[in-house]
Amino acid sequence: SISVERKKMEEFTSRSFFGNRQIENIGWEINVRNNKSEKITLNIIDQIPISTHKDIDIRLENKSHANHEEDTGMLRWSIVLNPSESKSLKFNYNVRYPKDKRLILE
């Protein structure tokens, strides 16, 4: 009775080069809908990548009021939805890394 959809936001997704660095911008949208006849409270958890390599820099640009744990990259939302109510949660981040490296970010 609760529908959740996670999709990539194309308008926030891009790849560019700046000097010897490559920059990838990635955006996600989570849509949640309460199809129940009563109010509900949900905890939504997602994650952005984290880097252990000093040449790879990851920055969270927008988090839609999520609590962000920098050590783990976890994003947490606690939301209340009334019956038939929908909510959209958006977040985007960018990754900067040397252009001679190959990263898989999804």
Side-chain angles (χ1 to χ4, degrees):
S1 297
I2 300 167
S3 63
V4 180
E5 178 187 29
R6 181 181 189 256
K7 62 182 178 179
K8 193 178 223 184
M9 295 188 320
E10 296 301 325
E11 65 269 16
F12 286 105
T13 303
S14 65
R15 180 179 289 174
S16 61
F17 297 96
F18 186 73
N20 64 349
R21 306 208 31 98
Q22 186 162 315
I23 302 168
E24 288 195 45
N25 296 302
I26 300 167
W28 292 96
E29 179 178 29
I30 302 170
N31 293 308
V32 183
R33 180 169 174 80
N34 179 9
N35 296 314
K36 293 185 173 195
S37 58
E38 58 202 46
K39 186 185 328 189
I40 60 169
T41 300
L42 288 173
N43 292 314
I44 309 276
I45 301 171
D46 209 324
Q47 184 177 21
I48 66 168
I50 57 171
S51 174
T52 56
H53 196 280
K54 65 178 180 168
D55 287 342
I56 300 172
D57 181 39
I58 300 170
R59 293 184 185 163
L60 182 61
E61 297 293 322
N62 176 24
K63 59 181 183 172
S64 287
H65 306 292
N67 291 325
H68 177 228
E69 296 174 17
E70 291 188 27
D71 295 344
T72 62
M74 298 298 266
L75 297 169
R76 297 176 193 272
W77 294 267
S78 181
I79 60 172
V80 176
L81 291 175
N82 292 317
S84 301
E85 184 180 8
S86 297
K87 188 161 243 180
S88 177
L89 308 169
K90 298 177 183 180
F91 66 97
N92 61 297
Y93 56 93
N94 64 49
V95 182
R96 298 167 190 257
Y97 58 95
K99 66 181 178 183
D100 62 335
K101 296 208 181 292
R102 292 192 59 197
L103 297 182
I104 300 172
L105 297 171
E106 298 177 40

